[in-house]
Amino acid sequence: MSTPQDLDDRLRAELAALGAPDQRRDLGEPLPEGGPLTGAQALALFDAQSTSRLLDLAGRWLSGFGEGYFTIESAGHEGDAAVAAALRPTDPALLHARSGAFYCLRAAQAAGAFPAAPPHLIPTAPDLPAATGADADPQDPGTSWSESAPVRAVPHQDLDAEPGEREADSLPVGAGVVVDADGDATVGVPDLPQPAPDDAFAAAARDVLRGIVASAEEPAAGGRAKVFGRADLAVVPTTSTAGSHLPRAVGLGLALERLRRGARPADGAAEAASWPADAVVVCSFDDGAINQATATAALNTTGWYDHTGLRIPVLFVCADGDASEGWVAAALRSRPGIRYFGADGTDVAATYRVAAEAADWVRRQRRPAVLHLSAVRLTEPGDGDAARDPLLATARLLVTSGYASGEELLARYDERGWQLRRVAEEVLDEPKLASPVEIVRELAPRRPVRVSRAVAEAGARAAGPAAGARAEAFGGKPPELTGRLTLAQSITAALADGMLDHPGMAVFGQEVAARGGAHGVTGGLRDRFGAARVFDTLPDETSILGLGLGAGLAGLLPVPEIRHLASLHGAEDQLRGEAATMRFLSRGAFRNPMVVRVAGLAAPEGLGGHDHNDNSLGALRDVPGLVVAVPARPDDAAPMLRTCLAAARVDGSVCVFVEPVALYHVRDLHTEGDEGWTAEYAEPGAWGDRHVPIGRARVYGVGSAEDLTIITFGNGVRMSLRAAATLAEEGVGSRVVDLRWLAPLPTADIIREASATGRVLVVDETRRSGGVGEGVLSALVDTGYVGAARRVAGLDSFVPLGPAARQVLVSAEAITQGARTLLAR
C-alpha cells in the first residue's frame, strides 16, 4: 500500500527521470503512428489527471488538520479522463466516487478548454449530423498553443536535404525556422505552455475542494455532501453507495429515448430540454459494484429491454482493478443485449480510441454498451502497482511522442500543485452551512398554495377545453356519472384523469399493462393511452424504481406500481439513497418527481407477511422529505392522488401512495348493502374545492364526538368507525381522525382533535415498535399534551399465515376494548 505522499514522491522522481524527447513535435500535431489524439489533447488529459491526483493529496492534507471531510482517492482511475474526452459535455453523466479526472476533463470541455481534434481524427457516425452550436468545440486546434507560446530552437533534421531524404515533407504545425549567427538552421516549436492560474482545471478543482471542506459555495450539494455533480456540466450527483445509481441511469436512458421519439415532458420540466436528442447516458462504477444487487438489476433490465426491442442509449463504464482475477470481465462479457468494449484504462490514447468508438456506437444505435477499463488502486492495500500509474503513463506518452520533456511535465505538475494549494486555502475561508433551515431548504420544498392551484387548474382544464377528449377517453361516460365507486375504481379513474392532464405521465410496473397490475387497478389504461405510456416491466422492484428515477430526472412524471409492500423492502434504498437525496445533493438543480403506488397493509386472503400481508411502514417514514400517503376511502383516494401528482410536478416531490389492499373492493361499512365505503367521483369543477393538502387529516364525528379521540389510518379507519358505532350505542361519543398522510404527519390536526376530548386512542395497524403510533404519541408529547393516551397496535411480529394473522393484527373488537379501558381510567 502506498500513501498519497509516497505516491506523489515516486511520481515526481519518475517524471524527472523521463528526460527529453529525441525529436520535438508541436502540440497541434497528432500522435505519431496514427494515434487518436493530438499533443494538445494529450496534454489536457495530463492536466485533468494531474488535477485529480493533486486533489487526492489536498483531501488528505485538509483532513490532517480537521478541515477536510472526504478522502476517497481517484489515484489509479485517472484514465477515465479519456472517457470524458470521448463524450460530449452535454451527455448526462452519473459518476462514482473515484471519478475525479472525468469531472475535471468534463469541466474543461464545457469551458472550451479541451482542444478540438483535426477532422480526420474525429470519430463520427455517418448517419449523424456533425456537432454544431453548443456541441462544437470553439477552440481551433493547432493555433492557440502555438500563437501564445514563445518559440524555442531545437535540433531537427537537415533542412537542406531533398524532400525524399527528409523524415517529413513538412514542418510541424506551428513550427518556425531559426537561423543562428553561424548560419545553422534549426526548427523551432512552441514551448510547453504553463497553466493559467484560474483555468478550467483550477475551476474544477475549486468545485471538488469546496465539497471536501463542506463549503456552502460548493456548486452541487452546497456543503451538504461531497459529490461529483453540476447541472451545467450535465453531471448528475450520486451517492457513494456502490452501484445504487445504475438503475437510475437505465431509467434516464429509456426516458431520453422516449422523449426523442416524441414523448412529451411534464409541464414546467426544464430538465427535459437540458440534453440534445442524440444524447447518451454515461454511468461509471468500479469493480466492487458489479457484485451489488442494484448493478445486477440494472444490467439485467438493460439487456432485457434490448431483447424486447426497446432502445436504451446508456454507456456503462466499469473501472476494474482486477482484484477478482478476471471475474468482472467474464461477468460483463456475458451480459446479453449489452455490447462489450474493453481497454487498458492506464493508456489514455487506447482508452480514448475505444471510448470514442463505444460512445459513437451507442449514439448511433441507441443501444447499451459497457466499457471495461483496467485500472489500479494505487493507495489501497494489495494494489500498489505503481508501474501502471495512468498519470505516469500519460507523461511517458507526451515525452516519447516528442511533445514535452519530463522536467517540463514535472514543472507543470508542481505548478498545478501550488495552484490547488492556493485554491484550498481560499475555500477554507468560505462559509459553511450554519442553520437547520439552510441544510433542509432543498430537501423537500413544500409550496401548498401552488399545489392547490395546480389541482384547481387541472380541474378547470378537464371541465373546459379538455372536456371532449376526456369524455372520449372514458367512452362517453366519465367517472362522475357512473355512480358510487370503490377505492380501487376511484384510483383507476384518478390515474386516467392524471394521464389526460399530464402528457409526460407514465404508468408502469409488473403486468400493469397486460393485466391491470396485481389488483386490476390499472386495467384499461394501456388501451386508452398506448403502450408508450402504460407498459410492463420485469418483476424487479429495484429496476422499477430506477426507471422512475431516470424518467423523473428526464422531465417525465413517472407513476410506477409496486405489487405488494413486502416486495418494496429489497428496493427501498432506491427511495432512501437515490430519490429522496436528489434535491438535497444538487441544491434543487436536479429533481426526480415520482409517485410510487404500493398495494400494502393487511390483506384479506390470509397470506403471510412475507407475501402480501405486510404492515411495515417504518422504513418509509424514516426517509427525510418523502411523502407517504395512505388513502382509506374512495372520496379521499382520488383527491390525494391528484395532490401527489401536483406536488411531484410543482415541487419535484417523491411520494409513496400506499393503497390498503383489503379496502380495494369493499363497498359496505356497517351492514351488507349499506354502500358506506363507496363514494361518488367528484366532477372536475369541484376538484379545487375538494383538494386534500399534504399533511391534513380527516375527522369523522360519531355520536356526541366529545368523549374520545381515535387517531388512525388505512384499514384502521374502517375498523375504528365500526368500533365508534358500538361505543355510541353505549353512550360514548367519538371523533375518528384519519391521518391520511403518514409523512409528514398532520401534527396540527392531531393536537387539535386530541385536546378536544382529552382522551386519545391511537389505532396503529403497524407494529408497536417503530410503528406510526410512536410518531403520533411523540407529536402529542412534544406539544405538551397532558390528557390520557393509549395504543392499540399490531404485535412486534411478522404476519403469520391464514387465520393466525388475526392474532397479531388490529381488529375492531380490540379497538372497542381499548377504548373502554381508556375511558375507565
Side-chain angles (χ1 to χ4, degrees), residues 481-675:
L481 300 180
T482 58
R484 300 180 71 85
L485 304 181
T486 62
L487 180 71
Q489 291 170 332
S490 181
I491 294 171
T492 303
L495 285 171
D497 271 324
M499 297 284 283
L500 286 166
D501 192 57
H502 310 317
M505 179 173 159
V507 173
F508 52 90
Q510 183 182 354
E511 296 182 329
V512 299
R515 297 180 56 186
H519 302 279
V521 177
T522 58
L525 293 182
R526 181 176 63 176
D527 294 337
R528 296 182 193 178
F529 302 104
R533 298 183 63 196
V534 182
F535 56 93
D536 292 333
T537 67
L538 284 174
D540 171 45
E541 285 69 32
T542 295
S543 294
I544 292 170
L545 293 178
L547 292 176
L549 292 172
L553 189 62
L556 300 175
L557 181 57
V559 184
E561 176 181 291
I562 303 297
R563 290 169 66 89
H564 310 294
L565 184 56
S567 305
L568 179 64
H569 301 312
E572 278 167 349
D573 192 55
Q574 291 295 294
L575 292 175
R576 182 198 67 85
E578 295 294 325
T581 60
M582 179 51 67
R583 292 192 66 108
F584 188 77
L585 295 180
S586 69
R587 298 202 295 184
F590 292 107
R591 61 185 206 166
N592 39 227
M594 183 165 60
V595 180
V596 184
R597 294 181 45 254
V598 186
L601 305 176
E605 296 93 345
L607 298 173
H610 288 288
D611 192 349
H612 292 187
N613 265 343
D614 195 320
N615 55 357
S616 301
L617 291 173
L620 294 176
R621 294 191 62 249
D622 186 51
V623 179
L626 199 69
V627 174
V628 181
V630 183
R633 290 182 51 87
D635 46 347
D636 279 336
M640 290 173 68
L641 182 55
R642 282 192 285 269
T643 298
C644 288
L645 293 173
R649 291 173 60 202
V650 170
D651 294 326
S653 299
V654 181
C655 305
V656 179
F657 199 76
V658 181
E659 301 164 4
V661 63
L663 300 178
Y664 266 143
H665 307 296
V666 170
R667 304 193 68 89
D668 306 322
L669 174 56
H670 298 294
T671 60
E672 185 175 354
D674 68 11
E675 292 288 312

